[in-house]
Amino acid sequence: MSHPTKKTNGSAFFLFCLGGLASYGGSRRRYGRDFSKDDILEQGTRQAIYETIEKNPGLHFRRICRALDKKMGVVQYHVSVLEKNGLIRSIRDGRYKCFFAENTDDMISPEDRPSEEEQSLRESIITSLRRKTPQLLITHLAMETVASHQALSNVAQVSPQAITFHTQKLQKEGIIESEKQGRQKFYSLSSKARTITESLMRAP
């Protein structure tokens, strides 16, 4: 007696396969084997995404898609695999999610690794430098040391109200400091932010 052939649903089979890949991506250890960075980056698109983030720290999701000319769903999947395996991390910058490559170099001594506070500040500066008005404010303060509210408004060519919005955000992130003198407010980079900004500006 012949048994009826079970019809396989194509969509269900695809989701089953995708689920298997996702479980691979969610852990570096599977079936008793530890997956190395090279194992995870064997897939061509995933490697291209990782290298793009590594060379362009602070890129947000849509810019990665545009840089590689890939569909959002494809990039989202591989970004998720990279993030779950600790090869990249993301931070929120307003409505954008920005990505950074994790430093996986075991040769770096703990003393030479930046603290979490320093790393967070550096990433905040990098993401701010990718936006027009914050970039103008930070680079101006890096060169001029101190600037008034009105001076920053003139430099960025935006309204004083817009300067208030941006300076409050930069202050909250620890990038700039302010001091009131009479009726005027003056801004400068925090000492740690100045050191990081100057090193970024010197970088090739």
Side-chain angles (χ1 to χ4, degrees):
M1 180 178 177
S2 61
H3 295 283
T5 303
K6 187 175 180 180
K7 191 174 181 180
T8 303
N9 182 290
S11 298
F13 180 72
F14 172 76
L15 290 172
F16 171 78
C17 293
L18 191 60
L21 287 171
S23 62
Y24 160 78
S27 172
R28 283 202 185 188
R29 187 171 182 83
R30 188 164 174 81
Y31 304 122
R33 177 187 171 194
D34 287 320
F35 286 98
S36 68
K37 177 180 176 180
D38 290 339
D39 291 329
I40 296 162
L41 296 180
E42 276 182 346
Q43 207 282 339
T45 299
R46 192 176 305 151
Q47 182 178 16
I49 292 170
Y50 177 80
E51 289 176 350
T52 299
I53 294 170
E54 189 176 39
K55 293 174 184 175
N56 303 276
L59 275 187
H60 63 73
F61 182 76
R62 288 181 181 273
R63 292 190 69 175
I64 296 170
C65 296
R66 289 198 293 268
L68 297 174
D69 193 25
K70 297 289 184 182
K71 292 183 178 179
M72 292 177 65
V74 173
V75 174
Q76 180 64 61
Y77 168 69
H78 290 295
V79 160
S80 176
V81 172
L82 291 169
E83 200 163 10
K84 286 177 181 176
N85 282 282
L87 295 184
I88 64 171
R89 65 185 177 282
S90 62
I91 64 170
R92 276 283 173 190
D93 182 38
R95 59 194 179 94
Y96 295 110
K97 194 175 185 182
C98 303
F99 295 90
F100 294 84
E102 285 282 12
N103 192 334
T104 56
D105 188 353
D106 294 330
M107 299 299 290
I108 299 176
S109 65
E111 294 79 15
D112 293 331
R113 290 184 184 276
S115 66
E116 287 187 16
E117 182 184 354
E118 290 171 334
Q119 182 171 286
S120 177
L121 180 58
R122 183 182 181 85
E123 290 173 355
S124 293
I125 292 171
I126 289 172
T127 55
S128 295
L129 289 172
R130 288 193 174 278
R131 291 181 284 114
K132 183 180 177 181
T133 299
Q135 180 192 54
L136 290 170
L137 302 185
I138 292 170
T139 53
H140 181 75
L141 290 173
M143 293 184 291
E144 298 296 327
T145 308
V146 178
S148 68
H149 195 93
Q150 186 58 51
L152 292 181
S153 178
N154 295 338
V155 166
Q157 296 186 328
V158 296
S159 68
Q161 291 81 5
I163 292 298
T164 298
F165 169 79
H166 289 292
T167 53
Q168 285 179 347
K169 187 174 186 298
L170 293 172
Q171 278 186 275
K172 186 177 179 180
E173 293 171 345
I175 298 174
I176 68 172
E177 299 171 336
S178 66
E179 181 182 351
K180 202 162 187 179
Q181 296 180 12
R183 298 179 65 182
Q184 288 204 69
K185 206 169 190 179
F186 292 84
Y187 300 92
S188 61
L189 292 177
S190 67
S191 59
K192 289 182 179 179
R194 176 171 294 280
T195 301
I196 294 170
T197 302
E198 289 176 349
S199 71
L200 291 171
M201 291 174 72
R202 286 195 301 268

